[in-house]
Amino acid sequence: MLIAEKFYENVRQELHGIRVSGLYKSERIITTMQGSTIDTEGRSRVINLCSNNYLGLSSHPRVLKAASDALIERGFGMSSVRFICGTQDAHRELERRLSRFLGTEDTILYGSAFDANGGLFETLLSAHDAVISDELNHASIIDGVRLCKAARYRYRHNDMNDLESQLVAAGDAGARFTLVFTDGVFSMDGTIAQLAKIRELCDKYGALLGIDESHASGFIGRTGRGTHEHRGVFGSIDIITGTLGKALGGASGGFTSAKKEVVDLLRQRSRPYLFSNSVAPSIVRASLEVLDIVEADSTLRDRLEANARFFRKGLESLGFAVKSGEHPIIPVMVYDAAIAQRLAARLLDLGVYVIGFFYPVVPKDQARVRVQLSASHTEQELEDALAAFRVAGKELAIIP
Ligand SMILES: *Cc1c(COP(=O)(O)O)cnc(C)c1O
């Protein structure tokens, strides 16, 4: 066999392995805008409980208008990285507005949060330094950390005693600077990081604190500014990364927000910023509109909170094992992988779109269906979805 043929055979084997282990991901084709209900190929008006469209802004009329006005006035794209000829006034304006919103000095935009995390650690830390991560941190943080030469430490998920042990270990090893980095909100459980305690520990050991606010910016905290607001440490986080692709409009784009000199250095050295295209003008202007909407009042985040509370209560009173929490991510625990898949499939038959998660995405015997609420869900939709959960739960003997 030719080497090339062997290569393609190897790829096919790899795919086969993914299929037989039940991990092959196929994509459902949607034929409408993102929303509380969607049409998919073959089904219409499915209640959507699996998007990150927390505030319902990805189809909000004001956001669409801002994007389409910008498209006409400022064009489709910049065809340049930021530092050559890719910075419009709106890019700088959005960076200023995000800084104000997040309570930081300055912000740098990236093509995605994945890029923001990918270009962060390598730029700021060297082999003399240490980075300490929660073991369940997002893949983009893990990859970003891999790219830097700092010594790496991991603490058990959300375990403050273990975090302290790692801070001690980094200090004992003689780290010059230590950065603790965590997801503000963890996407599989909706766990909200204990930022006040983490900040306290960082202060005790002289460490910096960074958070990824992808599942928080726009709706966590009383005015939606994020986990730091929720935990009472607004204004005292050293580095905040996040996405424009979830609650804040849902298109794409990411950012890092920090002290001015940190952002300045990222503009000089961060590779995904230097070597990847500018965020499109329509997304930038629409994001400014998003900030206008979320800063004007807390209507949407309040509605999201009420929807999440209503749905959580409803599932609990039906008898489902719901992981406790206060985030609009609601994990419905079924423990067994096959049951998680069957529950998701049956719910889709009944007009409700959710996703089942199982090992290795979540620990073994922790299979679940993850529900995500949006401010755009109506009470009727939520009642219909609960009725479907009741039918499917009884059929599969998950609930009495
Ligand atoms: C979704 C997510 C990202 C990636 O965001 P993109 O802007 O889509 O690249 C990064 N970090 C966390 C914690 C996320 O949940």
Side-chain angles (χ1 to χ4, degrees):
M1 234 199 291
L2 290 169
I3 292 291
E5 277 171 26
K6 278 191 190 150
F7 169 77
Y8 294 117
E9 178 53 31
N10 191 54
V11 172
R12 285 191 292 270
Q13 282 298 326
E14 200 66 33
L15 281 167
H16 181 69
I18 295 171
R19 278 201 188 87
V20 298
S21 54
L23 297 173
Y24 190 85
K25 291 180 275 300
S26 27
E27 296 173 5
R28 195 168 299 286
I29 307 298
I30 295 166
T31 54
T32 54
M33 280 191 204
Q34 188 59 276
S36 61
T37 64
I38 50 177
D39 293 353
T40 66
E41 281 184 351
R43 275 170 218 278
S44 62
R45 298 201 52 77
V46 177
I47 299 170
N48 184 4
L49 293 177
C50 57
S51 83
N52 301 312
N53 186 23
Y54 293 112
L55 297 174
L57 292 173
S58 44
S59 56
H60 192 289
R62 279 177 59 187
V63 178
L64 303 189
K65 171 134 196 339
S68 68
D69 287 352
L71 182 67
I72 302 305
E73 288 162 23
R74 291 301 179 86
F76 182 57
M78 296 308 294
S79 306
S80 170
V81 298
R82 286 285 298 274
F83 81 91
I84 297 179
C85 54
T87 301
Q88 287 178 336
D89 46 2
H91 289 92
R92 285 302 293 145
E93 174 67 9
L94 179 57
E95 288 169 341
R96 272 194 294 276
R97 289 288 303 277
L98 280 168
S99 309
R100 193 176 83 190
F101 184 67
L102 298 167
T104 52
E105 285 182 12
D106 202 0
T107 296
I108 172 173
L109 292 174
Y110 287 86
S112 67
F114 207 106
D115 279 351
N117 288 327
L120 178 71
F121 303 93
E122 176 193 39
T123 308
L124 300 178
L125 302 174
S126 78
H128 306 295
D129 306 318
V131 57
I132 304 180
S133 312
D134 185 291
E135 66 179 349
L136 291 191
N137 275 352
H138 190 262
S140 56
I141 300 169
I142 295 170
D143 286 7
V145 169
R146 268 193 201 145
L147 290 171
C148 87
K149 296 197 170 63
R152 299 171 210 163
Y153 299 83
R154 285 202 318 178
Y155 61 99
R156 281 191 299 278
H157 175 52
N158 205 24
D159 181 336
M160 298 298 99
N161 289 327
D162 196 30
L163 169 58
E164 182 156 23
S165 306
Q166 303 308 317
L167 281 160
V168 169
D172 288 349
R176 181 184 55 160
F177 306 127
T178 298
L179 171 63
V180 173
F181 206 91
T182 178
D183 285 22
V185 171
F186 292 84
S187 62
M188 283 300 139
D189 293 323
T191 308
I192 303 178
Q194 305 174 63
L195 287 189
K197 289 186 188 155
I198 298 177
R199 180 73 266 178
E200 210 177 290
L201 284 170
C202 286
D203 289 347
K204 180 171 171 190
Y205 292 94
L208 297 156
L209 173 56
I211 60 178
D212 178 336
E213 287 282 86
S214 293
H215 284 281
S217 294
F219 61 99
I220 295 295
R222 200 178 51 75
T223 63
R225 283 155 207 272
T227 312
H228 54 344
E229 180 183 34
H230 180 74
R231 292 296 193 204
V233 289
F234 189 79
S236 54
I237 304 297
D238 297 290
I239 298 169
I240 298 174
T241 63
T243 185
L244 303 173
K246 288 178 174 133
L248 296 177
S252 64
F255 54 82
T256 299
S257 210
K259 274 203 180 297
K260 206 165 185 6
E261 54 269 35
V262 169
V263 170
D264 271 353
L265 185 61
L266 291 169
R267 281 192 212 285
Q268 301 308 310
R269 294 257 177 85
S270 182
R271 292 162 71 82
Y273 182 80
L274 292 172
F275 298 107
S276 187
N277 204 29
S278 275
V279 180
S282 54
I283 294 177
V284 173
R285 285 269 203 92
S287 301
L288 285 164
E289 191 72 18
V290 163
L291 288 176
D292 284 344
I293 293 170
V294 300
E295 282 184 333
D297 60 64
S298 61
T299 310
L300 291 176
R301 59 86 52 207
D302 293 349
R303 196 176 303 151
L304 171 62
E305 192 173 72
N307 280 352
R309 201 178 306 123
F310 174 82
F311 207 77
R312 189 178 277 280
K313 267 219 183 96
L315 287 169
E316 279 166 354
S317 54
L318 287 173
F320 283 98
V322 173
K323 261 204 176 183
S324 63
E326 42 190 337
H327 194 274
I329 291 172
I330 306 178
V332 182
M333 304 306 292
V334 298
Y335 309 107
D336 181 86
I339 303 225
Q341 278 171 297
R342 284 170 63 199
L343 177 58
R346 184 63 183 121
L347 283 167
L348 187 61
D349 279 342
L350 295 166
V352 176
Y353 188 17
V354 290
I355 301 283
F357 289 97
F358 39 91
Y359 183 79
V361 180
V362 294
K364 277 212 169 91
D365 303 321
Q366 291 286 305
R368 68 198 63 184
V369 156
R370 182 180 69 177
V371 169
Q372 288 174 284
L373 276 300
S374 168
S376 64
H377 287 120
T378 63
E379 202 173 315
Q380 187 62 53
E381 285 163 357
L382 297 185
E383 271 166 15
D384 291 349
L386 284 172
F389 264 94
R390 183 164 180 277
V391 170
K394 280 181 184 293
E395 278 175 14
L396 294 167
I398 299 168
I399 55 169

